[in-house]
Amino acid sequence: LNLINSKIAKDRLAKFQRVANELKKNHKESLIGNNSKVLFENQLDGNQFFGRDEYNNSVIVNSKKNIIGKIEDVKIISCNQNTIFGELLFRKKAAA
């Protein structure tokens, strides 16, 4: 059994984590300007709501109405390494 030196293993892990974080950041940034369907799970502070899109990305929006348990269309406006921030796109109601 060949073991890798712990210094080499730690260096490889650090390099992998840097590359993975950069890829994750680039992917999230590529979503800015796009629309996504989000299932909202809970309310954060104030009027902020947290949900997940169809790819399990974390999404936060502001809303004056309670959207917990609802699937809403969201326009992606910004992001950080872990979270996408968006704004709700309200559907126009069809005339009866």
Side-chain angles (χ1 to χ4, degrees), residues 11 17 24 26-27 31 38 40 52 54 57 68 73 77 87 95-96:
D11 289 346
Q17 288 173 329
K24 188 163 63 166
N26 289 342
H27 172 69
L31 299 175
V38 178
F40 288 94
R52 295 193 179 271
E54 58 261 56
N57 292 308
I68 294 172
D73 293 318
I77 56 173
E87 55 188 29

Side-chain angles (χ1 to χ4, degrees), residues 91-96:
R91 296 178 211 113
K92 293 181 182 173
K93 295 184 181 182

Side-chain angles (χ1 to χ4, degrees), residues 29-75:
E29 287 176 351
S30 76
L31 299 175
I32 294 173
N34 293 329
N35 297 343
S36 185
K37 291 197 178 303
V38 178
L39 171 60
F40 288 94
E41 301 172 7
N42 56 47
Q43 186 170 3
L44 305 175
D45 295 334
N47 292 331
Q48 288 190 322
F49 289 84
F50 169 85
R52 295 193 179 271
D53 70 5
E54 58 261 56
Y55 303 104
N56 206 33
N57 292 308
S58 299
V59 180
I60 294 176
V61 300
N62 289 319
S63 175
K64 291 182 180 177
K65 75 175 196 174
N66 185 341
I67 55 174
I68 294 172
K70 296 187 176 170
I71 297 173
E72 298 287 345
D73 293 318
V74 173
K75 181 171 185 166

Side-chain angles (χ1 to χ4, degrees), residues 4-18:
I4 296 176
N5 175 293
S6 65
K7 166 100 171 85
I8 292 171
K10 287 178 184 177
D11 289 346
R12 288 179 180 173
L13 176 60
K15 182 177 181 179
F16 170 79
Q17 288 173 329
R18 278 193 305 275

